[in-house]
Amino acid sequence: MVSFSYTAADEEKSRGVRRMKALATSLLLLVAVVYALATWARNSGAGAWAGYVAAAAEAGMVGALADWFAVTALFRHPLGLPIPHTAIIPKKKDQLGTSLGVFVGENFLSADVVRGRLTALGIGGRLGAWLADPAHADRVVAELSTALRGALTVLRDADVQAVVGRRSPGGRRRWRSRRPWARRWRRSSTTGRTAGRWT
């Protein structure tokens, strides 16, 4: 059985829920008392105002009970009674999850929607405009040159030879013939002489 540990934030939320329940119950009891007193006053001949107060209090009680029933019926059977069309979420959570997934997929993640949003953003045009600035282009070239020098410094001849050998039958022979050139390129790149070739 999976056990859940409550954090301080969860405990604070739980206390907030208990406070709201206590407040709602207190207000329900208050309007019930007001309804009882207003009804007694109306029957005692206090005047028409008592009838209006009683009607308002009665409407408040009906609304509170209706809201309580509606919210409770979503998650469990009210008062433990197996009333039809209650405990909706526990019974239909799989169906609700599937419907929600289909809705999100069709309205937010479909190919047409994503393509339209990307087109509206104009990423290609913005990137082109950004690279049109010589300062930005020089920065990109400098970063790529630094990354390439680092890759050439870390890269081992044996690794490249194995990859080239797997790609083509004659690749191993060609790599052996060009390996001195590769070593010279790596030495020159580590000293920084290749920076000018990429800018």
Side-chain angles (χ1 to χ4, degrees), residues 123-134:
I123 297 177
R126 294 184 180 182
L127 181 59
W130 188 79
L131 290 175
D133 189 343

Side-chain angles (χ1 to χ4, degrees), residues 74 87-103:
L74 290 175
I88 297 174
I89 291 180
K91 291 179 180 178
K92 299 185 177 182
K93 59 182 179 180
D94 294 336
Q95 181 181 351
L96 293 173
T98 302
S99 301
L100 181 60
V102 172
F103 174 79

Side-chain angles (χ1 to χ4, degrees), residues 84-149:
H85 306 294
T86 58
I88 297 174
I89 291 180
K91 291 179 180 178
K92 299 185 177 182
K93 59 182 179 180
D94 294 336
Q95 181 181 351
L96 293 173
T98 302
S99 301
L100 181 60
V102 172
F103 174 79
V104 173
E106 291 180 352
N107 294 278
F108 297 98
L109 301 179
S110 64
D112 295 336
V113 173
V114 174
R115 188 180 300 110
R117 292 184 180 277
L118 291 178
T119 302
L121 289 176
I123 297 177
R126 294 184 180 182
L127 181 59
W130 188 79
L131 290 175
D133 189 343
H136 295 163
D138 293 341
R139 179 180 177 183
V140 171
V141 172
E143 295 294 338
L144 291 177
S145 301
T146 302
L148 183 58
R149 287 198 301 272

